[in-house]
Amino acid sequence: MQSNQVIVTGGAGYIGSHTVVELIAEGYTPILIDNFSNSHPDVLIGLERILGKVPELFEVDCCDAGAMDRTISDISKRGNISGVIHFAAYKAVGESTEQPVKYFQNNIGSTATLLDAMERHGLQTLVFSSSCTVYGQPAEIPVDESAPILPAESPYGYTKQVCERLIQDAQASRPEINAALLRYFNPIGAHPSSEIGELPLGHPNNLIPYLTQATAELRSPLTVFGDDYPTPDGTCIRDYIHVVDLAKAHVAALRWLQKQSGVCEPINLGTGTGSSILEVIQAFETANGLAVPHQLGSRRPGDITAIYANAEKAKSLLGWTAEKSLKEALRDAWNWQLKLGTSD
Ligand code: UD1
């Protein structure tokens, strides 16, 4: 019999794959469910190099109710399932405004399908991958979990709000459920081994993958989206968190949930420190001894001015705090880019 199995939907993705590593380090057996719709099977090679074995993966679409039911049934016959971590989702803000239906179907559909399958198989523990985007531009920063949920700026953001609500409602109807709604700030960096990292398909929309590709001369210079925001240097402020720290928080959340009886808690995962885009560029240059080709440009529609986390709840409930520095994250991000390749 297998023990301590944890189902990880989207386990081949960026945050999912890093979480798989940390789960194994803490004695869990992650079972991945991923259809590679937004990830690459090569992730399994990187995971094998780190772990010395390939984690088990079911190539299944999380919106396929029949397949999800069969998969969870098969996994549960082999031993206990300690919990489910649900990463599988699309996450490109811009794309979501062009293809909202795809985002609704996939992000909300997969969460509803999963909750249904969990109920049928008596699974009670769920860690959900949410986002600080649910806060919009909060009135006060650092933002804590009691801040109101503001109307979403994008269909992507709306899907996260709806999924949080769906899980809250499911928990209210099945009080035996324990759920953590993990609100990520800006995950960056890669595993220090450079065996896994972010693999954006096509043109990267997020700051760090674009920055590393521009520095590698694979893209035109980075455009800083707006330098006229009401911040000290005029550029937007975010809370950049190392993906390995974020991954560890999922294991801490799982452990905590296993000791609860009937909770559904939103929990911020950030460092508690805000950095402007120009500060990030400077930190990258110092960390790696390189110049980042960049230019100032106009604002990107939908961007908020500044957000960073009050991460006290994660500390008090989960005993977790982010440990890695911005520079460490930016060094790991660059080493990962070197592994993926540069123009040389
Ligand atoms: C967005 C979402 C967040 C989501 C995350 C991951 C919002 C408000 N935030 O975060 O919920 O989880 O994406 O997909 O919807 N920037 C540049 N030049 C670039 C790229 C980005 O200047 O080429 C700037 C942006 O304007 C922003 C900062 O860098 O100020 C970070 O941008 P990005 O990495 O895209 O993340 P967010 O928009 O903060």
Side-chain angles (χ1 to χ4, degrees), residues 90-93 130-134 136 153-154 156-157 160 184-188 198 203-211 221-226 229 235-240 275 277 281 295 298-300 302-305 307:
Y90 294 137
K91 61 152 201 166
V93 175
S130 190
S131 167
C132 70
T133 195
V134 299
E153 292 278 349
S154 67
Y156 158 76
K160 290 293 172 193
Y184 311 154
F185 284 67
N186 288 59
I188 60 164
E198 196 168 2
H203 184 280
N205 297 304
N206 293 119
L207 177 63
I208 302 306
Y210 195 95
L211 183 157
L222 169 75
T223 300
V224 174
F225 294 143
Y229 284 96
T235 66
C236 291
I237 291 174
R238 298 285 184 275
D239 185 338
Y240 297 93
S275 305
I277 303 171
I281 292 173
Q295 64 200 11
S298 49
R299 291 183 178 199
R300 180 174 70 175
D303 269 337
I304 57 166
T305 302
I307 189 164

Side-chain angles (χ1 to χ4, degrees), residues 12-335:
Y14 175 43
I15 305 168
S17 58
H18 288 80
T19 301
V20 164
V21 173
E22 300 307 324
L23 281 167
I24 290 185
E26 293 294 321
Y28 290 100
T29 305
I31 314 288
L32 288 61
I33 299 183
D34 202 306
N35 64 350
F36 300 115
S37 67
N38 203 20
S39 58
H40 199 282
D42 283 356
V43 169
L44 296 177
I45 299 171
L47 283 172
E48 184 179 15
R49 291 204 182 112
I50 297 170
L51 301 168
K53 61 180 176 192
V54 189
E56 189 177 10
L57 181 141
F58 288 84
E59 197 168 335
V60 163
D61 178 348
C62 295
C63 295
D64 181 338
M68 283 296 279
D69 192 56
R70 281 191 299 277
T71 304
I72 294 181
S73 167
D74 286 350
I75 298 169
S76 61
K77 279 183 197 138
R78 298 185 318 203
N80 81 302
I81 299 175
S82 303
V84 179
I85 308 183
H86 181 39
F87 291 105
Y90 294 137
K91 61 152 201 166
V93 175
E95 184 188 61
S96 78
T97 59
E98 288 148 25
Q99 300 178 56
V101 176
K102 172 175 152 175
Y103 273 69
F104 277 52
Q105 261 174 347
N106 188 55
N107 294 6
I108 301 173
S110 68
T111 304
T113 303
L114 175 67
L115 285 167
D116 186 41
M118 284 179 68
E119 181 168 359
R120 253 174 298 116
H121 295 281
L123 304 184
Q124 299 171 357
T125 304
L126 176 63
V127 177
F128 176 65
S129 173
S130 190
S131 167
C132 70
T133 195
V134 299
Y135 297 121
Q137 173 64 70
E140 276 177 41
I141 44 175
V143 63
D144 69 27
E145 293 82 353
S146 67
I149 302 295
L150 297 182
E153 292 278 349
S154 67
Y156 158 76
Y158 186 64
T159 65
K160 290 293 172 193
Q161 295 180 344
V162 173
C163 289
E164 282 201 2
R165 177 66 197 267
L166 201 52
I167 295 165
Q168 278 159 355
D169 289 351
Q171 202 277 331
S173 73
R174 280 183 70 209
E176 68 276 17
I177 290 180
N178 287 313
L181 311 172
L182 301 184
R183 294 177 177 164
Y184 311 154
F185 284 67
N186 288 59
I188 60 164
H191 194 266
S193 64
S194 302
E195 297 293 358
I196 53 172
E198 196 168 2
L199 276 174
L201 303 175
H203 184 280
N205 297 304
N206 293 119
L207 177 63
I208 302 306
Y210 195 95
L211 183 157
T212 58
Q213 291 190 16
T215 306
E217 294 179 359
L218 299 170
R219 302 265 170 205
S220 51
L222 169 75
T223 300
V224 174
F225 294 143
D227 66 343
D228 57 351
Y229 284 96
T231 61
D233 66 19
T235 66
C236 291
I237 291 174
R238 298 285 184 275
D239 185 338
Y240 297 93
I241 173 169
H242 197 299
V243 66
V244 170
D245 277 333
L246 194 67
K248 288 181 174 166
H250 289 74
V251 185
L254 195 61
R255 278 205 193 292
W256 177 74
L257 286 175
Q258 286 173 319
K259 289 182 257 153
Q260 306 306 308
S261 53
V263 295
C264 184
E265 287 289 345
I267 303 174
N268 285 344
L269 296 180
T271 65
T273 302
S275 305
S276 74
I277 303 171
L278 293 180
E279 283 170 342
V280 170
I281 292 173
Q282 198 171 46
F284 181 92
E285 291 182 333
T286 315
N288 296 303
L290 288 164
V292 176
H294 66 279
Q295 64 200 11
L296 300 177
S298 49
R299 291 183 178 199
R300 180 174 70 175
D303 269 337
I304 57 166
T305 302
I307 189 164
Y308 52 95
N310 175 328
E312 284 306 313
K313 188 170 177 184
K315 189 174 174 185
S316 62
L317 288 188
L318 312 181
W320 171 93
T321 43
E323 287 169 354
K324 290 174 175 275
S325 67
L326 178 63
K327 281 200 181 120
E328 238 173 313
L330 294 170
R331 244 192 328 264
D332 289 338
W334 178 241
N335 286 334

